[in-house]
């Protein structure tokens, strides 16, 4: 009530989720709107979602796109992903796959799991970017490693395609020598994609990839040590492998 945007946004979340108050989507919209007009990026993004879905307010896709855009332009990853979705599907704005790919990319580079999966979809299908299955696989894997369910499904499809296309011995050799093959196999065993889930085997695969200098294998091996998955918990080993991965630009923890 004092006009603090952060407080208004949080009060909107309380009403939107029924946290400490009776759930009231109309009141949630009211407080999101008060935060949004002050330039609060989270408030703008949530207000956009309300307009997109008709939560507590009449559904209005043009208003949804407007608030997503304002949030996205402030660098808000959720707003960027949602604004891209509007462009991909023509929701409140003319359909434009180039703009969709641009905003998905901005969200993806901020580590937004849905944005990473959606950018992978763009690369897989050539939507707004040149078709590039390797780039698609890269972004699907990043999304999957954050637990995104769609990313997991798409990463699994990509890996199955890679293994199928790399069927001759020369391709298999090149694939494995990079460590990427071992990393992919580790993901399969860790998550049970096409094989029985086996954390111990996953660790062995990640270790082979890590020893070959693959930063994704190093990062994943570090996470296994950090959480004691398939190997005794060892913070020193975790820190070592996280540092090696970070030196190659892969610096996110699991």
């Amino acid at each position: 009530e004092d006009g603090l945007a952060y407080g208004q946004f949080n009060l909107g979340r309380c009403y939107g989720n029924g946290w400490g108050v009776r759930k009231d989507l109309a009141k949630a919209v009211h407080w999101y709107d008060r935060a949004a007009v002050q330039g609060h990026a989270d408030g703008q993004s949530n207000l956009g979602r309300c307009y997109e879905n008709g939560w507590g307010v009449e559904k209005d896709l043009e208003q949804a796109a407007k608030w997503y855009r304002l949030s996205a332009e402030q660098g808000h990853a959720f707003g960027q992903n949602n604004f891209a979705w509007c462009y991909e599907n023509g929701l409140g704005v003319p359909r434009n796959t180039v703009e969709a790919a641009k905003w998905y990319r901005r969200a993806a580079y901020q580590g937004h799991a849905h944005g990473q999966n959606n950018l992978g979809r763009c690369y897989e299908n050539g939507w707004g970017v040149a078709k590039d299955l390797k780039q698609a696989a890269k972004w699907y894997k990043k999304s999957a490693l954050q637990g995104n369910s769609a990313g997991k499904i798409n990463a699994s499809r990509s890996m199955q395609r890679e293994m199928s296309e790399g069927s001759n011995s020369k391709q298999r050799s090149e694939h494995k020598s990079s460590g990427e093959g071992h990393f992919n196999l580790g993901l399969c065993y860790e998550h049970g994609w096409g094989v029985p889930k086996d954390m111990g085997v996953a660790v062995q695969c990640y270790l082979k990839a890590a020893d070959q200098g693959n930063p994704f294998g190093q990062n994943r091996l570090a996470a296994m040590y950090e959480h004691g998955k398939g190997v005794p918990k060892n913070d020193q080993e975790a820190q070592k492998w996280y540092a090696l991965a970070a030196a190659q630009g892969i610096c996110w923890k699991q």
Side-chain angles (χ1 to χ4, degrees):
E1 292 178 353
D2 290 335
L4 295 175
Y6 184 72
Q8 293 168 339
F9 165 71
N10 283 332
L11 185 55
R13 293 183 68 213
C14 290
Y15 278 114
N17 295 281
W19 296 340
V21 293
R22 180 174 294 180
K23 188 172 182 177
D24 188 325
L25 295 180
K27 287 185 178 179
V29 169
H30 169 77
W31 290 109
Y32 287 148
D33 182 77
R34 289 190 62 175
V37 295
Q38 293 192 70
H40 192 275
D42 286 305
Q44 292 168 340
S45 179
N46 280 17
L47 183 59
R49 292 185 67 217
C50 291
Y51 275 115
E52 181 183 359
N53 296 285
W55 296 339
V57 67
E58 185 175 350
K59 187 172 182 176
D60 187 328
L61 295 179
E62 289 186 3
Q63 282 292 311
K66 166 192 168 181
W67 290 110
Y68 286 149
R69 175 181 61 79
L70 290 171
S71 178
E73 288 174 348
Q74 292 197 71
H76 190 267
F78 285 88
Q80 291 169 340
N81 179 71
N82 291 338
F83 190 40
W85 181 258
C86 290
Y87 270 121
E88 180 186 342
N89 296 282
L91 304 178
V93 291
R95 187 171 184 271
N96 187 325
T97 56
V98 173
E99 284 293 309
K102 179 183 83 174
W103 289 105
Y104 282 142
R105 182 179 294 106
R106 293 185 181 183
Y109 271 103
Q110 293 195 70
H112 190 274
H114 288 290
Q116 291 168 339
N117 177 65
N118 287 333
L119 182 58
R121 290 171 51 243
C122 291
Y123 276 115
E124 181 177 6
N125 296 285
W127 296 339
V129 292
K131 187 172 182 177
D132 188 328
L133 296 181
K134 288 185 177 180
Q135 282 291 315
K138 165 188 168 182
W139 289 107
Y140 286 149
K141 288 173 191 173
K142 285 179 178 286
S143 178
L145 285 171
Q146 294 197 69
N148 183 270
S149 57
K152 289 179 180 179
I153 293 170
N154 288 330
S156 178
R157 286 194 305 100
S158 293
M159 284 186 283
Q160 290 172 359
R161 180 171 55 229
E162 287 174 9
M163 288 186 280
S164 174
E165 292 176 351
S167 57
N168 68 62
S169 60
K170 181 180 178 182
Q171 287 174 312
R172 285 200 304 270
S173 176
E174 291 173 347
H175 190 59
K176 287 185 177 180
S177 68
S178 69
E180 185 178 352
H182 288 124
F183 170 68
N184 287 344
L185 191 57
L187 284 177
C188 291
Y189 276 108
E190 182 182 356
H191 298 286
W193 296 341
V195 293
K197 186 180 289 190
D198 190 321
M199 295 299 175
V201 175
V203 168
Q204 293 173 24
C205 293
Y206 292 144
L207 179 59
K208 289 178 181 179
D211 282 339
Q212 291 175 336
N214 183 279
F216 295 101
Q218 293 168 341
N219 183 269
R220 198 71 208 124
L221 180 61
M224 303 297 269
Y225 274 117
E226 180 182 7
H227 300 290
K229 295 172 64 176
V231 68
K233 186 173 181 178
N234 188 321
D235 291 337
Q236 187 174 356
E237 281 293 306
Q239 184 176 2
K240 164 190 162 184
W241 290 110
Y242 276 135
L244 288 170
Q248 297 192 67
I250 305 301
C251 56
W252 23 270
K253 286 194 174 186
Q254 308 303 319

